[in-house]
């Protein structure tokens, strides 16, 4: 696999983490134009009633087309409490939620000014729990994929782009708490995999690579 370029992302999907698992180097883009309704501030989990999108409210001080690095986390709507309660409701009966809850709870009580910093902290925590050690590098300016010799996934891993457009990714099935209600839901947030499969999540990431 070549190096890859990814957007900053909030508890991103399994597809995103297969790149962290396998790529020799990962560039996290902070200087792209911020786009709404993407994984930059949205995670999708398996709630009791089906897929649920959790969206971090954001604002910025810039002009008409702010870059991701400019995006600030808003405190509107008590969202930290809402997101944490949604995670508890969705995963409190999963095999590993109790084991990992104390690792995530402090990140939902701490205030982050910048969205990208919050995303980085969560990604680092997941990597730590999965014993993943990707070579992560933040971009200092908008990255040129050709110059870096990297595969560009900035616009390819997003909610409105089918994951099967990436021939190197086929989501392997794994245990999910509500599968008896909804069937297997592929490519949810990495926390769905982590809370359901724990240390075996690494095996699922590997099986999801083609």
């Amino acid at each position: 696999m070549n190096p890859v370029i990814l957007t900053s992302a909030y508890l991103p999907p399994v597809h995103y983490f297969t790149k962290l698992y396998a790529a020799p180097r990962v560039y996290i883009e902070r200087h792209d134009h911020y786009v709404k309704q993407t994984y930059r501030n949205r995670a999708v989990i398996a709630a009791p009633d089906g897929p649920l999108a959790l969206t971090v409210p954001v604002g910025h001080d810039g002009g008409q087309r702010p870059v991701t690095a400019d995006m600030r986390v808003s405190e509107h709507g008590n969202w930290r409490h809402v997101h944490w309660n949604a995670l508890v409701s969705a995963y409190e009966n999963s095999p590993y939620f109790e084991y990992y809850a104390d690792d995530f709870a402090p990140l939902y009580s701490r205030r982050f000014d910048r969205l990208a910093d919050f995303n980085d902290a969560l990604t680092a925590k997941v990597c730590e729990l999965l014993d993943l050690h990707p070579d992560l590098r933040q971009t200092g300016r908008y990255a040129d994929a050709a110059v870096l010799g990297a595969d560009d996934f900035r616009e390819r891993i997003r909610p409105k782009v089918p994951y099967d457009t990436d021939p190197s990714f086929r989501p392997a099935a794994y245990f999910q708490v509500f599968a008896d209600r909804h069937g297997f839901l592929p490519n949810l947030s990495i926390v769905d995999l982590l809370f359901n499969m724990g240390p075996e999540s690494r095996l699922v990431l590997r099986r999801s690579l083609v």
Side-chain angles (χ1 to χ4, degrees), residues 23-43:
R25 184 176 303 129
V26 178
Y27 296 95
I28 303 298
E29 182 63 79
R30 282 180 172 234
H31 298 277
D32 50 346
H33 288 298
Y34 184 79
V35 179
K36 297 179 180 179
Q37 298 183 354
T38 65
Y39 293 124
R40 290 170 178 84
N41 71 324
R42 177 179 296 190

Side-chain angles (χ1 to χ4, degrees), residues 15 59 76 84 119 128 145 154 166-167 184 186 196 203 206:
H15 187 188
H76 177 73
W84 183 248
N119 291 346
E128 173 191 331
R154 285 173 289 197
D166 177 4
F184 176 69
N196 282 309
L203 300 177
R206 186 170 66 190

Side-chain angles (χ1 to χ4, degrees), residues 32-197:
D32 50 346
H33 288 298
Y34 184 79
V35 179
K36 297 179 180 179
Q37 298 183 354
T38 65
Y39 293 124
R40 290 170 178 84
N41 71 324
R42 177 179 296 190
V44 181
I45 64 172
D49 293 330
L52 174 66
L54 302 177
T55 303
V56 178
V58 295
H60 63 88
D61 300 326
Q64 294 293 322
R65 300 193 69 190
V67 299
T68 298
D70 293 334
M71 303 307 296
R72 298 181 179 275
V73 176
S74 170
E75 295 307 316
H76 177 73
N78 198 22
W79 69 268
R80 300 174 194 279
H81 179 72
V82 171
H83 284 209
W84 183 248
N85 280 354
L87 290 171
V88 172
S89 176
Y91 297 110
E92 61 184 341
N93 294 320
S94 65
Y96 290 94
F97 181 77
E98 184 176 359
Y99 186 76
Y100 294 126
D102 289 344
D103 291 290
F104 285 94
L107 296 173
Y108 283 90
S109 60
R110 174 183 168 189
R111 291 195 174 191
F112 287 82
D113 182 43
R114 302 285 180 177
L115 174 67
D117 293 336
F118 180 52
N119 291 346
D120 288 348
L122 286 166
T123 295
K125 177 56 65 177
V126 173
C127 287
E128 173 191 331
L129 297 175
L130 292 180
D131 197 27
L132 296 179
H133 304 280
D135 181 0
L136 290 176
R137 306 190 183 191
Q138 304 292 337
T139 61
R141 58 183 179 180
Y142 187 75
D144 186 320
V147 170
L148 296 173
D151 293 331
D152 191 349
F153 285 93
R154 285 173 289 197
E155 300 304 323
R156 295 173 64 186
I157 299 180
R158 56 189 302 176
K160 293 184 178 180
V161 176
Y163 60 76
D164 58 9
T165 59
D166 177 4
S168 68
F169 174 69
R170 290 294 179 271
Y174 57 88
F175 169 82
Q176 291 177 329
V177 173
F178 301 113
D180 58 334
R181 303 184 193 181
H182 312 300
F184 176 69
L185 300 174
N187 202 37
L188 296 178
S189 167
I190 188 63
V191 293
D192 183 82
L193 175 59
L194 181 68
F195 293 150
N196 282 309
M197 298 299 292

